[in-house]
Amino acid sequence: MNKNIILLLTAFLAFFCSCNHSSQKNINNQKNIIKPKYAKGFYISKNDGLIEAFVKDPWDSTKILAHYIFVPKTDRSSISSDGATIIKTPCFSVACLSSPEIGFINRLGLIETITGVSQKEYIKEPKILERISSNKIIDLGPFEAYNTEKLMELNPEVLFAAPFKDNKYGKIIQTGVPMAYCASYMEESPLGRAEWIKFIALFYDKYDEACSIFDTIESNYNKASTIAKEADSKPVVFAGKMYQSIWYISGLKSYMAQYFVDAGAKYAWEDKKHAGSDEPVNFEKVYERCNAADFWVILEYAPNGYSYKNLQSENDNYKNFSAFQKQNIIFCNTEKTAYYDRGIIEPDLILKDFIAIFHPELMPNHSPTYFTPLHHE
């Protein structure tokens, strides 16, 4: 009897381990894997001239969210997809449901391939706006209210989209337009976000060019970070503000906290080790922790401008923070800057903005691109 139980347990454990590791099969059994240096959300494989890309599930990195096989348009041989999406390269017509992909494509010099966009109010790239106004780019509608009829009529070769835990693309998937999930917004570091240009480049057969572009960004970023290490002191920094009655805190592993640390500052919530900005905290707890902080960073979509007066009108308690009283609030108006569509591929410039504010003596001649001291009025 005991022997039978042992045999059953052994069989069960073998089955369980097999199931547990099956989701890693693609990662462990592939040859010639190319892993990004900073990005954690995708990897590439090159086998016998065949290029593939795997996007990991952002909420379970042991699973694969999407698998792409890239085949030159001149190649007439049949490819076994095995559940993967076949992409004929180079693509000449793409659509973007989020802004970061626009920044990547623009940096590759391929903005004319974009034929459809969504959430145009967040797009600041002049070339895109001009092409929208001249009807060379179709507006596919706002978030979660995409116009699938326009999408089907446009019929792009690929549709770039950010993945969400609760899939919001059911109707779009039904159109049959190939979707490419770009999870750059889930990366924990600024360079990890920027490195997704390598993934985007695969759809254009421009991988080597993307690597060269990224190497330059990385070099500029690291040089700036090295300069920041020369600072004599590290100011304390916090970010964000209340949303209704909650202040959502980003952890030390978040990309914004990484900017602060690399710019020679100390993040006020450095004991919070999580990555995202999903920890809800009440005002009292934020005030207790950040009241004496040196700087306060805020991003805001403000078409009519933003000032200390605007901030105080939202919550009178804001005026009690030391950073408010000392006029040390750092601001990025996402309505006036291309933070969402270009900022992701310019982390070196964002880092320099912070260094120039935290340590002006280290970058006395820097002209800000995204972040500046908040105006008094």
Side-chain angles (χ1 to χ4, degrees), residues 144-208:
E144 289 192 83
Y146 306 113
N147 190 319
T148 54
E149 291 183 0
K150 285 186 177 180
L151 178 62
M152 293 174 67
E153 182 180 344
L154 187 64
N155 193 29
E157 293 172 276
V158 66
L159 175 65
F160 292 110
F164 291 94
K165 195 169 186 178
D166 49 337
N167 195 328
K168 303 176 185 294
Y169 302 119
K171 291 183 179 179
I172 288 181
I173 292 173
Q174 292 175 12
T175 67
V177 175
M179 292 192 68
Y181 292 105
C182 182
S184 57
Y185 81 103
M186 297 289 287
E187 293 290 343
E188 297 176 358
S189 71
L191 288 176
R193 290 185 161 207
E195 199 168 14
W196 276 80
I197 191 173
K198 297 177 181 178
F199 171 77
I200 298 295
L202 294 173
F203 294 81
Y204 295 99
D205 196 21
K206 296 284 186 181
Y207 180 76
D208 291 341

Side-chain angles (χ1 to χ4, degrees), residues 330-362:
I330 303 170
F331 186 66
C332 174
N333 189 341
T334 59
E335 198 280 332
K336 304 295 183 182
T337 70
Y339 179 81
Y340 288 117
D341 54 349
R342 201 187 306 151
I344 195 166
I345 198 62
E346 295 184 334
D348 49 333
L349 298 185
I350 292 176
L351 180 64
K352 290 176 182 178
D353 284 353
F354 284 130
I355 295 173
I357 297 173
F358 297 154
H359 308 289
E361 74 283 1
L362 297 180

Side-chain angles (χ1 to χ4, degrees), residues 124-154:
K124 303 305 168 188
E125 176 53 51
K127 295 177 183 177
I128 291 288
L129 297 177
E130 187 279 325
R131 291 175 67 84
I132 292 174
S133 63
S134 60
N135 295 320
K136 294 178 181 178
I137 291 179
I138 301 300
D139 180 10
L140 297 174
F143 181 65
E144 289 192 83
Y146 306 113
N147 190 319
T148 54
E149 291 183 0
K150 285 186 177 180
L151 178 62
M152 293 174 67
E153 182 180 344
L154 187 64

Side-chain angles (χ1 to χ4, degrees), residues 104-362:
F104 293 132
I105 296 170
N106 188 29
R107 192 63 177 264
L108 289 167
L110 297 165
I111 208 164
E112 72 281 355
T113 65
I114 299 176
T115 57
V117 297
S118 175
Q119 304 180 84
K120 64 180 181 180
E121 64 271 19
Y122 295 109
I123 300 172
K124 303 305 168 188
E125 176 53 51
K127 295 177 183 177
I128 291 288
L129 297 177
E130 187 279 325
R131 291 175 67 84
I132 292 174
S133 63
S134 60
N135 295 320
K136 294 178 181 178
I137 291 179
I138 301 300
D139 180 10
L140 297 174
F143 181 65
E144 289 192 83
Y146 306 113
N147 190 319
T148 54
E149 291 183 0
K150 285 186 177 180
L151 178 62
M152 293 174 67
E153 182 180 344
L154 187 64
N155 193 29
E157 293 172 276
V158 66
L159 175 65
F160 292 110
F164 291 94
K165 195 169 186 178
D166 49 337
N167 195 328
K168 303 176 185 294
Y169 302 119
K171 291 183 179 179
I172 288 181
I173 292 173
Q174 292 175 12
T175 67
V177 175
M179 292 192 68
Y181 292 105
C182 182
S184 57
Y185 81 103
M186 297 289 287
E187 293 290 343
E188 297 176 358
S189 71
L191 288 176
R193 290 185 161 207
E195 199 168 14
W196 276 80
I197 191 173
K198 297 177 181 178
F199 171 77
I200 298 295
L202 294 173
F203 294 81
Y204 295 99
D205 196 21
K206 296 284 186 181
Y207 180 76
D208 291 341
E209 290 89 334
C211 289
S212 179
I213 291 170
F214 180 78
D215 288 346
T216 299
I217 294 168
E218 178 192 23
S219 176
N220 292 339
Y221 188 99
N222 289 335
K223 285 178 182 177
S225 181
T226 299
I227 292 173
K229 292 177 182 178
E230 299 173 6
D232 295 328
S233 61
K234 292 185 177 182
V236 177
V237 187
F238 70 108
K241 57 181 183 175
M242 300 290 288
Y243 178 72
Q244 295 179 351
S245 61
I246 298 295
W247 198 311
Y248 290 94
I249 300 301
S250 297
L252 183 62
K253 292 182 180 180
S254 65
Y255 80 99
M256 189 58 76
Q258 182 79 59
Y259 273 129
F260 301 156
V261 172
D262 290 343
K266 180 179 180 181
Y267 184 45
W269 301 94
E270 63 181 2
D271 58 316
K272 304 293 184 180
K273 304 302 181 182
H274 63 280
S277 57
D278 55 359
E279 182 175 342
V281 177
N282 60 32
F283 179 87
E284 289 72 22
K285 190 168 184 178
V286 175
Y287 186 75
E288 179 183 354
R289 173 70 66 95
C290 304
N291 171 43
D294 300 290
F295 290 96
W296 180 0
V297 176
I298 297 175
L299 287 87
E300 182 83 5
Y301 181 80
N304 299 318
Y306 203 73
S307 67
Y308 284 87
K309 185 177 181 180
N310 294 128
L311 181 61
Q312 186 176 344
S313 69
E314 295 172 11
N315 188 323
D316 192 57
N317 289 321
Y318 286 156
K319 71 178 187 296
N320 296 321
F321 284 100
S322 177
F324 186 104
Q325 296 171 359
K326 294 179 179 179
Q327 308 275 287
N328 278 344
I329 294 179
I330 303 170
F331 186 66
C332 174
N333 189 341
T334 59
E335 198 280 332
K336 304 295 183 182
T337 70
Y339 179 81
Y340 288 117
D341 54 349
R342 201 187 306 151
I344 195 166
I345 198 62
E346 295 184 334
D348 49 333
L349 298 185
I350 292 176
L351 180 64
K352 290 176 182 178
D353 284 353
F354 284 130
I355 295 173
I357 297 173
F358 297 154
H359 308 289
E361 74 283 1
L362 297 180

